[in-house]
Amino acid sequence: MKKVFALIASLLIATLAFAGCGGSSSSSSSGAASSGAKTLKVGATSVPHAEILEQIKPELEKQGIKLEIVEFNDYVQPNLSLNDKELDANYFQHKPYLDNFISEHKDCKLVSAAGIHIEPMGVYSKKVKDLKELKDGATVAVPNDPTNEGRSLLLLEKAGLLKLKEGVAEKATLQDIVENKKNLKFQEVEAAQVPRTLEDVDAAVINSNFAMQVNLDPTKDALFIEDSTSPYVNIIAVREGDADRPEIQALIKALKSQTVKDFIKEKYKGAVVAAF
């Protein structure tokens, strides 16, 4: 009899254990499984990319696609994760950055599937209210990755703070500065960390997504900012050969909708500009 009770107990425990292991995944995916929904994993930085992606979840659900947003706080891991097939797509970067990333990571086979929006880069300061007030020898923080550093130097040139060697364009580096009348000193910092330098430097060139994460309003707080003609359109990146997947095409169509355009205009008020 004891053996019978032991057997029953064992079966009961096994049944409960099975329910416990599969319970959460079953409950979270049962709707998707029963409706035949496909999960689409998209990597993104939180502001504004993840916020924009949240707006299209209902539309994709209608099409049987469950959008899973995976948030990152850096510019490297989203591409590595996409290349390693941990993601179906990512949404955080512009084409010049992707091109440079691929040149440095030859094994990454990633392509742009569509351009969605522009985040104007701006110059910010807590020490001066006008860039003309910058003193001789002032320190300016700039992103340290090749693409965003070149972009920041072009912006500083447009603001009249320096001159670059002819023809370098977005590939500009600190070594390409040919005129620096204020003898500005440059502090190179990882892009996401540039806003944290504002207390210590005289000015900083910051990507709008990172500016907004620390409650800076690009349209009000930037002393100088890119206009809507900026070539740095943020893109949906995918692995080579995946751009024509139905789920990816549905993602792009949803992102390029009037609903998203209206959301960007109302939510970001010029700090983010739709590129479609």
Side-chain angles (χ1 to χ4, degrees):
M1 183 64 72
K2 288 183 179 180
K3 289 183 179 180
V4 173
F5 281 123
L7 179 59
I8 293 173
S10 297
L11 289 172
L12 180 60
I13 292 170
T15 301
L16 291 172
F18 177 78
C21 288
S24 59
S25 62
S26 173
S27 60
S28 64
S29 62
S30 59
S34 61
S35 63
K38 295 181 179 180
T39 298
L40 190 68
K41 294 180 70 172
V42 180
T45 44
S46 60
V47 180
H49 306 82
E51 293 178 343
I52 294 172
L53 287 169
E54 285 289 346
Q55 305 309 305
I56 66 171
K57 277 187 172 181
E59 176 57 34
L60 291 180
E61 283 178 9
K62 292 177 185 177
Q63 300 178 50
I65 300 170
K66 179 184 176 184
L67 177 61
E68 183 178 333
I69 304 166
V70 183
E71 292 192 22
F72 294 87
N73 59 10
D74 73 287
Y75 279 178
V76 176
Q77 197 57 45
N79 279 335
L80 296 178
S81 296
L82 176 58
N83 192 65
D84 291 341
K85 299 185 178 182
E86 295 170 6
L87 302 170
D88 295 292
N90 68 40
Y91 177 37
F92 77 97
Q93 65 194 320
H94 47 63
K95 184 66 161 49
Y97 179 84
L98 176 62
D99 291 342
N100 184 76
F101 186 90
I102 291 172
S103 72
E104 295 181 348
H105 300 77
K106 303 296 185 183
D107 59 331
C108 280
K109 306 298 182 183
L110 309 179
V111 297
S112 169
I116 307 300
H117 75 266
I118 298 166
E119 297 169 20
M121 181 177 268
V123 187
Y124 300 80
S125 176
K126 290 192 174 182
K127 306 289 177 65
V128 299
K129 293 184 178 180
D130 190 305
L131 292 180
K132 294 178 182 177
E133 299 172 11
L134 286 175
K135 296 180 180 179
D136 188 85
T139 300
V140 180
V142 296
N144 66 0
D145 63 274
T147 304
N148 281 302
E149 181 172 88
R151 181 183 182 185
S152 68
L153 293 176
L154 285 173
L155 184 62
L156 292 172
E157 181 180 50
K158 194 169 185 179
L161 292 175
L162 52 82
K163 283 189 178 180
L164 297 167
K165 190 185 301 180
E166 264 189 64
V168 292
E170 73 275 359
K171 294 183 179 180
T173 68
L174 296 180
Q175 286 68 45
D176 293 313
I177 297 173
V178 295
E179 187 178 302
N180 182 4
K181 290 182 178 179
K182 285 183 176 284
N183 298 305
L184 299 175
K185 298 175 182 176
F186 297 94
Q187 184 174 323
E188 298 172 285
V189 184
E190 198 275 320
Q193 301 304 316
V194 176
R196 300 179 185 276
T197 68
L198 274 175
E199 298 291 343
D200 305 313
V201 299
D202 298 290
V205 187
I206 307 174
N207 298 75
S208 282
N209 59 318
F210 293 129
M212 289 185 287
Q213 284 181 20
V214 294
N215 299 315
L216 288 170
D217 184 334
T219 59
K220 295 179 181 178
D221 299 324
L223 303 182
F224 194 81
I225 194 167
E226 289 175 329
D227 57 30
S228 59
T229 61
S230 169
Y232 296 91
V233 178
N234 278 228
I235 61 173
I236 292 294
V238 298
R239 289 182 296 279
E240 286 183 354
D242 279 3
D244 292 329
R245 281 175 53 192
E247 306 95 283
I248 298 297
Q249 286 299 306
L251 172 72
I252 293 169
K253 185 176 180 180
L255 283 171
K256 288 190 171 186
S257 66
Q258 188 62 46
T259 298
V260 169
K261 182 176 281 191
D262 292 342
F263 171 78
I264 288 174
K265 184 177 180 180
E266 294 169 14
K267 173 75 174 178
Y268 305 112
K269 305 184 187 306
V272 177
V273 181
F276 55 90

